Amino acid sequence: MRMKFAEGLLVLAAAALMPGAAVAQVTAKFAVTLPEKSHQGQGVARFVQLVEQKSQGRIRIKPFYSGALGNDVQVTSALQGGTIEFVVPQTTTLTGMVKEMEILDFPFLFANEQEVDAILDGPIGKRLLDKLPEKGLVGLAYWENGFFNATNSKRPIARVEDFQGLKFRAIQAKISQETIRALGANPVPLAVPELYTALETRTVDGQGTPTAVIAALKLGEVQKYLSITKHAYGAFVPLVSKKFWDKLSDADRKILVDSAVEARSYQRQVARDQARSAQAALAAAGMQVNEVAPAEVVRMREKVKPVWDEFSKEVGPGLFNEVSSELAKLRKR
């Protein structure tokens, strides 16, 4: 009997050392606002997979999609409190804590994805992330939400005048509201989980989000017109609770950063592919889609210049000038 007991212990010990038998030493929750098949959801799924692979199963993260744990504001607050370990909000959610982040929300600031990548992945983007730990958050990288386009149930938006009088959903940040007001619409702050119902009941007439998000949220079911305005750009930031981060080893922290950066290329490509395919799919499903002429984009940009003037003071003239200078250099290449 003693021999059998000892043999049993040896078998158990050997099994514990076998490949694939690693037990997760760290578990965590990841709150995700959008559905699993969205560009955000697919980025999170890739990140979770990479973390598990790189940690050999020691770190296991469970995603909760479609706002199951709350909206961006709620889950980011929970992240600071340490009750959730990961979230991936748009940078706009963070501007109440880090004012400089607001530079990324300036309307009509970026012309294309190449400009976005150069700013976010360079020194300016890093300095913005470096301001998060003192707020109880750790930013791992920048992912893509995409360029915002306008939908509504009233009319196509081909000129800036077409915004006039629309009840238009705003992100819960002042710059979003002031941009909509400058364009002539009436801003109505709403979180993503509330958006479909508000559009369906005509509490609001329209909204602006990336085309891939419009498709993921099935907004084509409750909106008739899609106008390619590209009036703003949205970036996501995969965040870690600093309370959770501080408990990790340097090696595990590196795994999280490396995984987020590796997932970034995949997630951005998914976002850009979805933007193209979503526009075609929405049109095929019955939405009326119109491109905005370049001359009208210029008119819209002129209309929101007061927003630039106001918020450049808030983010700091130095930062605004630096971003403007970097963009000017990129456009000369």
Side-chain angles (χ1 to χ4, degrees):
M1 180 66 71
R2 290 177 182 173
M3 181 60 71
K4 288 183 179 180
F5 179 72
E7 288 173 351
L9 289 178
L10 289 172
V11 169
L12 289 173
L17 296 174
M18 289 175 62
V23 177
Q25 297 174 3
V26 179
T27 58
K29 298 184 292 294
F30 201 136
V32 190
T33 305
L34 297 179
E36 185 173 0
K37 291 184 179 179
S38 69
H39 53 14
Q40 184 190 60
Q42 290 193 48
V44 169
R46 177 58 64 93
F47 171 74
V48 168
Q49 179 186 53
L50 288 169
V51 169
E52 187 163 339
Q53 289 175 352
K54 293 177 185 294
S55 69
Q56 297 181 326
R58 289 185 300 99
I59 305 174
R60 292 186 182 169
I61 303 168
K62 180 176 176 54
F64 293 83
Y65 298 102
S66 300
L69 300 183
N71 63 43
D72 277 348
V73 174
Q74 292 167 336
V75 296
T76 301
S77 177
L79 198 77
Q80 291 175 297
T83 57
I84 295 174
E85 289 75 31
F86 295 89
V87 301
V88 57
Q90 187 168 290
T91 55
T92 307
T93 306
L94 306 174
T95 56
M97 293 177 276
V98 178
K99 204 62 177 175
E100 292 87 345
M101 281 275 183
E102 213 153 40
I103 188 69
L104 305 179
D105 294 324
F106 276 37
F108 298 102
L109 180 65
F110 298 110
N112 52 53
E113 289 89 352
Q114 291 71 34
E115 292 182 0
V116 170
D117 294 351
I119 296 297
L120 295 185
D121 300 342
I124 293 172
K126 184 179 185 305
R127 287 209 310 274
L128 294 177
L129 291 183
D130 286 346
K131 295 180 178 294
L132 291 171
E134 66 186 55
K135 307 299 181 181
L137 308 169
V138 176
L140 301 177
Y142 292 95
W143 293 356
E144 179 154 295
N145 193 6
F147 280 98
F148 284 38
N149 296 308
T151 70
N152 80 99
S153 57
K154 298 285 189 181
R155 54 184 173 266
I157 295 174
R159 306 176 305 152
V160 68
E161 289 83 2
D162 294 325
F163 279 102
Q164 192 66 40
L166 292 177
K167 292 179 291 183
F168 207 82
R169 179 256 178 167
I171 295 172
Q172 293 168 310
K174 185 181 175 184
I175 192 168
S176 173
Q177 297 168 34
E178 292 305 317
T179 295
I180 290 166
R181 192 172 283 114
L183 289 169
N186 301 313
V188 181
L190 284 174
V192 168
E194 304 166 359
L195 183 54
Y196 185 99
T197 300
L199 293 170
E200 183 178 34
T201 59
R202 300 293 190 264
T203 302
V204 293
D205 301 312
Q207 61 84 47
T209 45
T211 310
V213 177
I214 294 167
L217 297 179
K218 301 181 179 180
L219 300 187
E221 297 175 352
V222 291
Q223 296 277 266
K224 185 174 181 180
Y225 302 102
L226 167 60
S227 303
I228 310 304
T229 51
K230 293 187 176 180
H231 56 275
Y233 176 85
F236 292 129
V237 178
L239 296 174
V240 189
S241 168
K242 190 170 185 298
K243 289 185 177 181
F244 175 74
W245 178 263
D246 288 344
K247 297 175 185 177
L248 299 175
S249 67
D250 288 342
D252 284 349
R253 292 176 186 176
K254 186 176 187 302
I255 285 171
L256 296 182
V257 173
D258 290 349
S259 297
V261 171
E262 189 173 334
R264 178 182 67 196
S265 298
Y266 170 80
Q267 192 276 336
R268 283 178 177 169
Q269 192 58 53
V270 169
R272 291 164 192 180
D273 289 345
Q274 284 190 355
R276 287 188 289 270
S277 61
Q279 182 173 330
L282 290 166
M287 286 194 85
Q288 294 185 27
V289 181
N290 69 285
E291 298 281 346
V292 178
E296 292 300 326
V297 172
V298 171
R299 291 186 66 224
M300 291 178 186
R301 184 181 294 114
E302 287 300 317
K303 197 75 172 176
V304 301
K305 279 294 178 66
V307 178
W308 285 26
D309 294 339
E310 177 183 354
F311 286 89
S312 63
K313 297 172 186 174
E314 295 195 14
V315 303
L319 175 61
F320 176 73
N321 291 337
E322 184 180 1
V323 172
S324 299
S325 176
E326 287 301 312
L327 290 173
K329 291 177 186 176
L330 291 167
R331 290 165 188 170
K332 288 179 181 178
R333 293 178 184 174

